[in-house]
């Protein structure tokens, strides 16, 4: 409990100082990284919420950038000491030169510590250390802390908002959840033939498989890409089955990244890409996607952010959270950049079959064999079997220079033994034959109707604008800052949850750099979605009254 109070006090001081300097959390993270203390926007957000205490190794740089002492940031005690000294020396202050008088307050200065102050700090240090002790009756134990590697990791999709919603549900309150793209709870069931085939193969699925997966499933994945126009020669050894794409993303970053390496990741992004990069010791560098251009990647912004440390570029297409589908022209431009700078392309294409308006998706592996392309996909969304954890990674394109990296993937695949074997038996059936997702995304389909209703209702709210997604289950509406002048978008979403019992994720949870967006999952049926939109309408109307922008 004491740790939590200490973290919250640090959080309040940090937020106040950052705002005083005019930084966003993203800008502060960039400034610290540029100064040699690599930190992510997610880590800054965790510090500012009190989720984690400020990492001691980052403290000197953070204090220097914010123009304060380390002691003030950490404990606030120097401020109290400074106030006492100021009161005692008030008459001396009048004799100071103008330059001296214009110095910042003592609690915001780096300065030598007097013996008296040092004794106070030593006492405070002892008190701070004692906060890490837990009394268990006759014994005192040191509290077990999470690894410092997690300080840069943030995953708000299942963060404080969901935890609060779960507590509310435990109290008997009904929450409308528009936060996670999990089809099953919304009555979007898996194709029966997949369930039947998995059940029939259960007797064969009780042991480990090959570390890369069963042959028939990997062959089906390979043939899927060949049918789409795969350019390079690939065999089943280039396909890795995983416990969903999520596991394979983490594996890739562990195999690819050295400390300090950089990966270009879209902004907004699916936050696991950023989290996995940071966890592997790398740095996520976010390139902008343009809302005015239907959320297409900004090619010039990509080029401007490439350095000697850049190892690869992530492309999420169709995109989560915006629902944007990228044109072949844009994809080819990204490939040209990757070829020029010898970058690995990581193509997250998990929503390639969840498309609307007769749109078609082009796999990046079909556009070039002059660059190493890692293609990620799976059955969680298109076949509504998220719990089966059936995903894959295919390596294609220019591989001659990547044998050591591929050996790393092999090693990591072997270390986890294999992915979920029953789920692997769903892949061959899913890859061929009738694709039931098309019935859901057609004009008469449920997902199509839910998309139309959600976007039209959102655009009808004053100060809210939303592009029409062409893929996936999501849209990413914008709140006009002139109508909704908010500073903390997670707190804003928390107020929505508490007041209207609607759960959504704030835009900064997807590494967007301004508190002016949020993601809507339009998986609920029309009746529940209509109810959610009514509540949003009421909530935003109330906020306009509070802000005086009605």
């Amino acid at each position: 409990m004491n740790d939590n109070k200490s973290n919250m006090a640090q959080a309040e001081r940090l937020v106040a100082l950052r705002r005083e300097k005019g930084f966003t959390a993203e800008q502060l993270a960039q400034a610290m990284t540029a100064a040699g203390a690599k930190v992510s926007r997610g880590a800054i957000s965790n510090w500012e919420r009190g989720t984690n205490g400020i990492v001691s190794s980052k403290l000197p740089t953070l204090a220097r950038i914010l123009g304060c002492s380390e002691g003030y940031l950490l404990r606030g005690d120097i401020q109290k000491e400074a106030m006492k000294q100021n009161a005692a020396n008030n008459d001396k202050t009048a004799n100071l030169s103008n330059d001296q008088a214009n110095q910042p307050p003592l609690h915001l200065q780096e300065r030598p510590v007097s013996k008296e102050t040092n004794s106070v700090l030593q006492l405070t240090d002892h008190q701070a250390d004692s906060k890490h002790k837990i009394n268990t009756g006759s014994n005192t134990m040191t509290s077990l802390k999470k690894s410092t590697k997690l300080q840069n990791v943030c995953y708000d999709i299942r963060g404080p908002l969901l935890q609060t919603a779960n507590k509310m549900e435990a109290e008997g309150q009904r929450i409308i959840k528009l936060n996670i793209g999990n089809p099953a709870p919304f009555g979007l069931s898996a194709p029966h033939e997949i369930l039947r085939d998995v059940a029939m193969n259960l007797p064969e699925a009780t042991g480990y498989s090959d570390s890369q997966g069963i042959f028939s499933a990997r062959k089906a994945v390979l043939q899927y890409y060949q049918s789409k126009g795969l350019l390079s020669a690939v065999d089943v050894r280039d396909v890795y089955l995983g416990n969903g794409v999520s596991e394979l993303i983490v594996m890739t970053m562990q195999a690819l990244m050295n400390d300090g390496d950089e990966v270009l990741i879209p902004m907004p992004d699916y936050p696991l890409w950023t989290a996995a990069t940071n966890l592997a010791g790398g740095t996520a560098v976010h390139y902008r996607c343009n809302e005015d251009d239907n959320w297409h990647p900004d090619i010039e912004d990509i080029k401007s952010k490439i350095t000697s440390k850049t190892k690869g570029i992530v492309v999420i297409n169709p995109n989560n959270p915006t629902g944007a589908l990228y044109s072949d022209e844009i994809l080819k431009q990204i490939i040209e950049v990757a070829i020029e700078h010898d970058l690995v392309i990581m193509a997250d294409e998990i929503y390639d079959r969840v498309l609307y308006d007769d749109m078609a998706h082009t796999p990046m592996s079909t556009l070039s064999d002059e660059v190493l392309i890692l293609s990620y996909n799976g059955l969680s969304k298109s076949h509504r079997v998220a719990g089966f954890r059936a995903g894959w990674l295919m390596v294609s394109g220019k591989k001659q220079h990547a044998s050591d990296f591929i050996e790393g993937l092999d090693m990591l695949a072997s270390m986890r033994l294999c992915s979920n074997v029953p789920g692997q038996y769903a892949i061959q059936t899913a890859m061929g034959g009738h694709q039931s997702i098309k019935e859901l995304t057609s004009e008469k389909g449920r997902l199509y109707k839910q998309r139309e209703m959600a976007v039209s209702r959102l655009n009808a709210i004053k100060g809210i604008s939303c592009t029409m997604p062409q893929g996936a289950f999501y849209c990413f509406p914008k709140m006009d800052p002139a109508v909704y002048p908010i500073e903390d978008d997670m707190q804003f979403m928390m107020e929505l949850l508490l007041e209207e019992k609607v759960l959504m994720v704030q835009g900064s949870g997807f590494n967007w750099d301004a508190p002016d967006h949020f993601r809507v999952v339009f998986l609920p049926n029309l009746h529940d979605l209509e109810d959610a939109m009514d509540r949003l309408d009421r909530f935003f109307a109330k906020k306009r009254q509070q802000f005086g922008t009605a």
Side-chain angles (χ1 to χ4, degrees):
M1 183 66 71
N2 286 335
D3 273 353
N4 186 54
K5 289 181 179 178
S6 175
N7 288 350
M8 291 307 297
Q10 288 179 17
E12 290 175 3
R13 289 190 290 273
L14 176 57
V15 170
L17 288 168
R18 175 177 62 76
R19 290 176 178 170
E20 190 176 291
K21 285 287 184 181
F23 287 141
T24 65
E26 177 78 14
Q27 289 168 337
L28 179 56
Q30 291 172 351
M32 290 186 65
T33 299
K38 187 188 74 172
V39 71
S40 69
R41 184 212 59 81
I44 300 291
S45 295
N46 283 339
W47 298 345
E48 292 191 348
R49 295 171 192 158
T51 306
N52 297 328
I54 299 170
V55 180
S56 58
S57 62
K58 313 293 183 184
L59 186 61
T61 304
L62 180 62
R64 186 168 66 253
I65 289 172
L66 294 177
C68 68
S69 70
E70 296 174 31
Y72 175 67
L73 258 182
L74 204 58
R75 295 174 295 271
D77 294 315
I78 294 182
Q79 182 180 30
K80 297 173 185 175
E81 188 71 14
M83 290 170 66
K84 292 177 184 176
Q85 290 184 11
N86 285 345
N89 299 319
N90 191 48
D91 57 327
K92 295 180 181 180
T93 304
N95 298 322
L96 292 176
S97 67
N98 287 337
D99 287 344
Q100 291 173 313
N102 287 329
Q103 289 293 314
L106 288 177
H107 75 279
L108 294 181
Q109 295 182 36
E110 294 286 358
R111 60 184 177 87
V113 181
S114 67
K115 291 180 180 178
E116 294 82 0
T117 302
N118 191 52
S119 65
V120 172
L121 292 179
Q122 287 176 349
L123 176 62
T124 307
D125 286 340
H126 173 74
Q127 292 170 338
D129 288 342
S130 71
K131 290 180 180 180
H132 300 299
K133 303 292 184 181
I134 299 175
N135 257 323
T136 58
S138 59
N139 298 320
T140 301
M141 299 175 63
T142 301
S143 62
L144 189 62
K145 298 290 187 178
K146 61 178 170 285
S147 164
T148 56
K149 290 180 292 188
L150 292 173
Q151 294 286 358
N152 281 339
V153 176
C154 184
Y155 191 77
D156 280 348
I157 293 178
R158 292 180 182 264
L161 287 164
L162 180 60
Q163 294 164 15
T164 301
N166 289 339
K167 290 178 183 177
M168 293 170 69
E169 284 188 322
E171 296 167 357
Q173 302 183 58
R174 177 179 176 267
I175 308 298
I176 299 179
K177 293 184 175 180
L178 309 181
N179 64 314
I180 293 180
N182 184 15
F186 301 104
L188 290 157
S189 56
H192 179 71
E193 62 176 337
I194 290 180
L195 302 181
R196 183 191 61 205
D197 283 11
V198 169
M200 288 178 62
N201 283 287
L202 281 178
E204 307 299 321
T206 56
Y208 298 131
S209 73
D210 180 280
S211 61
Q212 286 186 230
I214 61 176
F215 179 86
S216 60
R218 285 189 286 155
K219 187 69 172 179
V221 169
L222 174 58
Q223 291 173 337
Y224 174 73
Y225 287 100
Q226 288 173 336
S227 72
K228 295 280 187 176
L230 178 65
L231 290 181
S232 61
V234 176
D235 63 31
V236 292
R237 289 174 296 180
D238 295 309
V239 178
Y240 299 78
L241 304 188
N243 291 300
V245 167
S246 301
E247 180 186 50
L248 296 164
I249 290 171
V250 175
M251 279 177 52
T252 300
M253 292 307 178
Q254 294 292 338
L256 181 66
M257 306 299 290
N258 292 314
D259 288 352
D261 286 345
E262 297 175 354
V263 172
L264 296 171
I265 297 175
M267 179 178 68
D269 72 341
Y270 176 58
L272 179 63
W273 281 104
T274 295
T277 300
N278 293 332
L279 186 61
T283 299
V285 177
H286 295 102
Y287 65 85
R288 185 167 294 276
C289 296
N290 290 327
E291 188 169 13
D292 293 339
D293 187 26
N294 203 26
W295 290 112
H296 274 64
D298 186 328
I299 301 299
E300 293 307 313
D301 193 50
I302 291 173
K303 293 178 180 178
S304 72
K305 290 176 176 173
I306 295 173
T307 72
S308 60
K309 297 179 180 179
T310 308
K311 295 290 285 287
I313 180 168
V314 174
V315 181
I316 306 174
N317 178 42
N319 183 264
N320 176 9
T322 66
L325 178 68
Y326 301 159
S327 66
D328 286 7
E329 179 185 355
I330 286 288
L331 297 177
K332 289 175 181 177
Q333 289 181 52
I334 293 173
I335 288 171
E336 288 174 6
V337 172
I339 292 172
E340 179 182 353
H341 296 278
D342 195 22
L343 305 181
V344 180
I345 291 178
M346 288 158 270
D348 183 345
E349 299 170 338
I350 188 72
Y351 296 98
D352 71 332
R353 282 154 289 185
V354 187
L355 303 172
Y356 307 93
D357 308 318
D358 296 321
M359 300 300 293
H361 174 269
T362 302
M364 295 197 80
S365 61
T366 67
L367 294 176
S368 177
D369 57 4
E370 297 180 49
V371 63
L372 182 65
I373 298 177
L374 310 179
S375 300
Y376 303 80
N377 211 324
L379 306 183
S380 293
K381 313 300 183 177
S382 57
H383 292 80
R384 288 85 68 202
V385 288
F388 283 18
R389 311 311 299 128
W392 60 82
L393 158 64
M394 185 185 71
V395 182
S396 66
K398 185 179 177 182
K399 293 182 289 186
Q400 300 88 334
H401 68 304
S403 58
D404 199 53
F405 163 69
I406 293 171
E407 182 181 323
L409 284 179
D410 292 341
M411 183 186 303
L412 291 170
S414 297
M415 285 171 61
R416 52 94 206 235
L417 299 179
C418 66
S419 67
N420 172 38
V421 180
Q424 293 182 39
Y425 278 101
I427 293 175
Q428 184 177 16
T429 301
M431 289 293 91
H434 177 66
Q435 298 294 305
S436 58
I437 187 67
K438 292 182 178 179
E439 297 168 3
L440 294 168
T441 58
S442 69
E443 285 192 24
K444 295 182 179 179
R446 173 180 162 178
L447 287 177
Y448 182 94
K449 293 177 180 177
Q450 290 164 194
R451 176 192 69 146
E452 295 293 305
M453 193 267 279
V455 173
S456 63
R457 286 293 306 270
L458 287 164
N459 280 321
I461 299 173
K462 181 180 178 181
I464 303 292
S465 58
C466 185
T467 61
M468 181 64 75
Q470 295 178 314
F473 315 134
Y474 319 108
C475 54
F476 200 59
K478 179 179 182 178
M479 299 176 285
D480 184 346
V483 181
Y484 306 102
I486 63 174
E487 294 186 349
D488 187 334
D489 55 353
M490 194 198 78
Q491 182 58 38
F492 195 69
M493 290 295 105
M494 186 69 78
E495 292 171 13
L496 169 66
L497 172 61
L498 296 173
E499 294 177 23
E500 294 293 346
K501 300 179 178 57
V502 176
L503 174 62
M504 295 190 300
V505 181
Q506 74 280 6
S508 61
F510 301 93
N511 292 296
W512 187 246
D513 62 354
D516 59 359
H517 281 77
F518 56 95
R519 186 184 75 166
V520 175
V521 177
F522 53 81
L523 284 172
N525 62 52
L526 284 171
H527 178 269
D528 288 341
L529 201 56
E530 191 85 55
D531 185 8
M533 293 300 145
D534 289 343
R535 298 182 189 201
L536 284 179
D537 206 352
R538 185 166 59 232
F539 175 77
F540 281 110
K542 186 191 305 181
K543 290 302 175 184
R544 292 195 300 274
Q545 291 284 349
Q546 291 179 10
F547 293 134
T549 56

